[in-house]
Amino acid sequence: MARRAEPISALPGAGAALFVAALILGTLAAVALRAETGRGFAASDWAALRFTLTQAVLSAVTSVGLAIGLARALARRRFFGRSALITLLGAPFILPVIVAILGLLSVFGRAGWISQLLMFFGLEPLQIYGLHGVVLAHVFFNLPLATRLILQGWQEIPAERFRLAAQLNAGPRAMWQLLEAPMLRRVVPGALAVVFAICLSSFAVALTLGGGPRATTIELAIYQAFRFDFDLGRAALLSALQLVLTGGAAFVALRVADNDGAGAGLDRVLRRWDGDTPLARGMDAAWIVGAALFLILPLSAVVVSGVSGLLLLNAGVWMAALTSVLVAGLSTLVLLSLALPMAAAVAMGRSTLIEVAGILGLAASPLVIGTGLFIVIYPVADPFALALPVTALVNAVMALPFALRILVPQAREVMMRFGRLSLSLDMAGGPFLWRVFLPRMRAQIGFAAGLAAALSMGDLGVITLFADPEVATLPLQVYRLMGAYQMQAAAGAALLLLLLSMGAFWILDRGGRWHAEA
Amino acid sequence: MKYSVFAAALLGASAAYADTPELTVYTYDSFVSDWGPGPAVEKAFEAQCGCDLKLVAAGDGAALLARVKLEGARSDADVVLGLDTNLTAAAAATGLFAEHGVTADYSLPLAWEDATFAPYDWGYFAFVHNADAVSVPTDFKALGASDMKIVIQDPRSSTPGLGLLMWVKAAYGDDAPAIWADLADNVVTVTKGWSEAYGLFLDGEADMVLSYTTSPAYHLIAEEDATKAAAAFDEGHYMQVEVAGILAASDQPELARDFMQFMVSEGFQSVIPTTNWMYPSVTPESGLPEGFETLIAPAKSLLLPADEAAALRDGALGEWLDALSQ
């Protein structure tokens, strides 16, 4: 078979995928090999598996379903504060779990704002604990992410298409059938797979909002195997199960996804001629206001409880903040050097295995990766000395699935539109990379980098296994403060974390699209 | 740091600098935090030992044990501080620990006979509530029959959670499943760790939270807030005894023994009440800080022996899971 002509090599991408797969599977193997006893599968694990799958499917479908409506409304409307709203949408995702839970419950809990309102009118308080609570919390975390991914799909439809459709007098329905539905078929499966994978490895959120051990997920079973039974074999087995489920879901999603691009355009500013009816305006406004309230109320609870704590922050917290910023910066660099070659390789039609390797990062239990790395590193080096690089690396791998979802569609587009042209101009390798590929990917690179930095800032990940008292990250410091009864200072530190993460996200995301509309 | 080494070498003092022995103590997170006992303990011990005390945090008690097991005999740690009696049987079974040789006049409510692990503090588990709460239950049966809402920790991921499991088991034995079945509708939710549960309680999500009888002392002494109280239960309260042990493979066995003896001395014990918010295992000369006298004094102290606790644990967890998963 003749090799397809390609402007840049796919080899670095394949190498990066191999590295990621080796890291995840290698650490898993390291844990499995250290196992002495092994209880194998218990009956309770099947119950955990059932619950995990149920909540992950429900959460993914609800998040992505709502995200389609919200993204459509955002794509059709321009209003004051729109880009601020879109940036703010990223916030729930990057909060430390414990902070997000307390924020959510300040609104939806038994003593939350809604319950207080209900009781004021003599009604029963809201009953939030249960499967619906788990789904609600996961939607809170993932709706913003899914919305951004899908919104990006809308932005990738060239403005000329909408103009042409409008000239042909296409109404909203025709617009949907001709342009939007095909785009969704490309974008939605990937978004579903990502949200499913995130919810699959949920633990503290599922347990707390689920109201008790009914809501035992596989991740909790891994945790139990590790620290309650010290049964490394079982931890590895359960972790492998999680990987298989996520890998399988990702594989199916990417296979059914339609990979044809939306076609070329001239990068004109988008204008929508459909949806000018009062009804459409009203509907879009309802979507945007509803979603904004749902996401912003719990965040404002975090802000309100944190403001007074900001004054209580001591030098340790500021040091931790600095550490977190460093880790986030390093992690973002690692992420881009993994994700860009992988995205390019996928765009050139390399096997979906690269993308599946990319998504495994989400399915891997941080506890198992951390333990595996510990087992591997311990005989040769001091794990404490490597705490920060290891944290940065693992955070980058965890952010990789998101980065790929963001980068791959645009990379495909660039390859399709400019690949052959560049080759015919004998413009391959470096010149193609610097003059065509990277400039056209700038907005996506900015978004991916922003997300990676923010995620890395907020992630507890593996730091707990490697941390020594001198190098705590900010999320770890939040937990330590809470553990020492310093709830107010912890709320202040959490607010600082929120501000830093949002700041990093905003700078990188803005930097990527400084001349484009969001 | 680099410069100080450089300067020391110039002055010909490098040998002395390099000879400062280092004692590595693995402990849990909250021990080393700025508000925990760590900073004061480090200062006091370094003043008398002529050594460098390195406190290393590794999660909580159970994570600590997992860490020690992972590292095995190669571990850099000399002392492990922060296990409790629910973990000591498993810890002793690893064969990694040596005898501690500590002698002390303990002020524990029971005689201490473990030759491998020595206690440094202890406390009682208790349900903490707002002091103005009405009709606070006085035992588990009354709690189960009441409509008080409680938030507890998962025994699979949390030390107090496991403590509650043992509390019910020690008080009720084979009747424990019935107690849990009655409690099931009182449990608002179960959290991963103590911090989440306590945070939820402070935010008003529950009427009571599983914590310690000493928790109100924190609010009273550190925040001058007398609005929290612990409910005294007639069955008695289960104890948590926090212990430390010396690793057999330590390269500083003498220093490790010195540290263990220091642990039950004034310099260590006097900081425990208002940093770890637990009772010191040896009451300091100055007595307990003002405010501790307001705490409830349980009529009965419950504590299963370490081997019994280890043997009962899996069965008790099964009963708990069954009752709360209905």
Side-chain angles (χ1 to χ4, degrees), chain A residues 49 52-53 196 200 218 240-250 363:
Chain A
L49 176 63
T52 307
L53 284 176
F196 175 80
L200 200 68
I218 301 176
L241 176 70
Q242 223 174 21
L243 283 178
V244 168
L245 286 174
T246 310

Side-chain angles (χ1 to χ4, degrees), chain A residues 34 44 98 101-102 105-106 108-112 128-129 203-204 207-214 216 220-221 223-224 226-230 232 312 314-317 371 374-375 378-379 382-384 460 464-470 476-477 479-487 489, chain B residues 26 29-30 32-36 54-60 62-63 66-67 69-71 74-76 149 154-159 162 165 187-192 194-196 198-200 202-207 211-212 214-215 218-219 223 277 313-314 317 320-321 324-326:
Chain A
R34 263 302 298 271
S44 61
I98 189 169
I101 290 177
L102 292 178
L105 289 176
S106 310
F108 298 101
R110 281 183 68 242
I128 191 67
Y129 302 96
F203 159 17
L207 179 68
T208 310
L209 274 302
R214 270 181 308 267
T216 296
L220 173 52
Y223 211 78
Q224 178 190 354
F226 186 74
R227 48 165 290 150
F228 193 86
D229 305 321
F230 199 69
L232 293 181
L312 300 171
N314 65 351
V317 173
T371 309
F374 190 87
I375 293 172
Y378 187 67
D382 177 10
F384 295 132
L460 205 55
T464 42
L465 264 179
F466 288 82
D468 71 288
E470 282 97 46
L476 186 58
Q477 201 71 2
Y479 275 82
R480 284 186 178 165
L481 285 166
M482 291 189 88
Y485 287 98
Q486 306 290 322
M487 300 292 172
Chain B
Y26 281 7
D29 264 346
S30 58
V32 299
S33 83
D34 292 344
W35 295 269
K54 199 174 149 203
L55 292 171
V56 174
D60 69 347
R67 170 69 165 270
K69 282 185 174 177
L70 273 181
E71 297 190 353
R74 289 174 312 184
S75 177
D76 286 340
K149 293 292 179 192
D154 196 311
R156 295 168 290 180
S157 56
S158 151
T159 313
L162 184 55
L165 207 61
V187 176
V188 173
T189 191
V190 177
T191 64
K192 179 182 169 188
W194 178 89
S195 302
E196 287 93 339
Y198 210 77
L200 287 182
L202 291 181
D203 282 355
E205 279 298 295
D207 303 314
S211 188
Y212 298 90
T214 40
S215 298
Y218 166 77
H219 296 284
E223 296 179 343
W277 302 101
R313 204 187 62 154
D314 288 355
L317 176 66
W320 182 83
L321 286 173
L324 292 195
S325 298
Q326 298 306 313

Side-chain angles (χ1 to χ4, degrees), chain B residues 27 63 140 170 172 184 197 238 284:
Chain B
T27 184
F140 279 108
Y172 287 98
Y238 198 75

Side-chain angles (χ1 to χ4, degrees), chain B residues 109-314:
Chain B
L110 43 82
W112 190 258
E113 273 147 13
D114 191 329
T116 315
F117 298 100
Y120 61 91
D121 69 15
W122 60 281
Y124 294 108
F125 293 111
F127 285 98
V128 171
H129 57 86
N130 285 319
D132 57 5
V134 282
S135 61
V136 176
T138 53
D139 59 29
F140 279 108
K141 287 185 170 156
L143 175 58
S146 76
D147 54 4
M148 287 290 246
K149 293 292 179 192
I150 59 174
V151 50
I152 60 175
Q153 301 84 356
D154 196 311
R156 295 168 290 180
S157 56
S158 151
T159 313
L162 184 55
L164 178 61
L165 207 61
M166 291 300 160
W167 186 0
V168 175
K169 198 73 197 166
Y172 287 98
D174 292 341
D175 293 333
I179 296 293
W180 280 115
D182 283 346
L183 288 177
D185 62 347
N186 298 86
V187 176
V188 173
T189 191
V190 177
T191 64
K192 179 182 169 188
W194 178 89
S195 302
E196 287 93 339
Y198 210 77
L200 287 182
F201 163 68
L202 291 181
D203 282 355
E205 279 298 295
D207 303 314
M208 303 210 282
V209 60
L210 178 70
S211 188
Y212 298 90
T213 57
T214 40
S215 298
Y218 166 77
H219 296 284
L220 186 67
I221 297 171
E223 296 179 343
E224 295 178 355
D225 167 12
T227 60
K228 304 286 180 287
F233 274 22
D234 296 339
E235 296 98 336
H237 287 246
Y238 198 75
M239 290 174 62
Q240 181 176 36
V241 183
E242 297 196 291
V243 303
I246 301 173
L247 286 170
S250 164
D251 57 355
Q252 298 284 354
E254 290 213 354
L255 203 50
R257 275 194 292 275
D258 289 348
F259 178 79
M260 294 290 284
Q261 197 60 51
F262 163 76
M263 185 179 82
V264 292
S265 73
E266 189 74 14
F268 186 111
Q269 292 291 315
S270 60
V271 297
I272 286 293
T274 54
T275 52
N276 231 23
W277 302 101
M278 296 283 271
Y279 287 103
S281 63
V282 178
T283 308
E285 281 162 27
S286 52
L288 292 170
E290 196 182 327
F292 269 65
E293 75 285 352
T294 61
L295 304 178
I296 58 163
K300 207 169 136 196
S301 305
L302 304 173
L303 183 66
L304 293 169
D307 48 347
E308 214 173 300
L312 285 173
R313 204 187 62 154
D314 288 355

Side-chain angles (χ1 to χ4, degrees), chain A residues 282-366:
Chain A
M283 292 269 286
D284 286 352
W287 270 109
I288 293 168
V289 171
L293 281 179
F294 172 59
L295 296 169
I296 289 172
L297 280 179
L299 286 178
S300 39
V302 172
V303 174
V304 167
S305 70
V307 167
S308 58
L310 276 180
L311 295 172
L312 300 171
L313 301 186
N314 65 351
V317 173
W318 293 107
M319 270 308 292
L322 190 67
T323 308
S324 276
V325 170
L326 283 176
V327 169
L330 193 60
S331 182
T332 308
L333 289 179
V334 175
L335 171 90
L336 288 180
S337 49
L338 288 174
L340 277 170
M342 284 174 78
V346 173
M348 288 183 288
R350 284 302 182 271
S351 107
T352 36
L353 281 181
I354 290 183
E355 274 196 277
V356 173
I359 220 161
L360 287 184
L362 272 184
S365 158

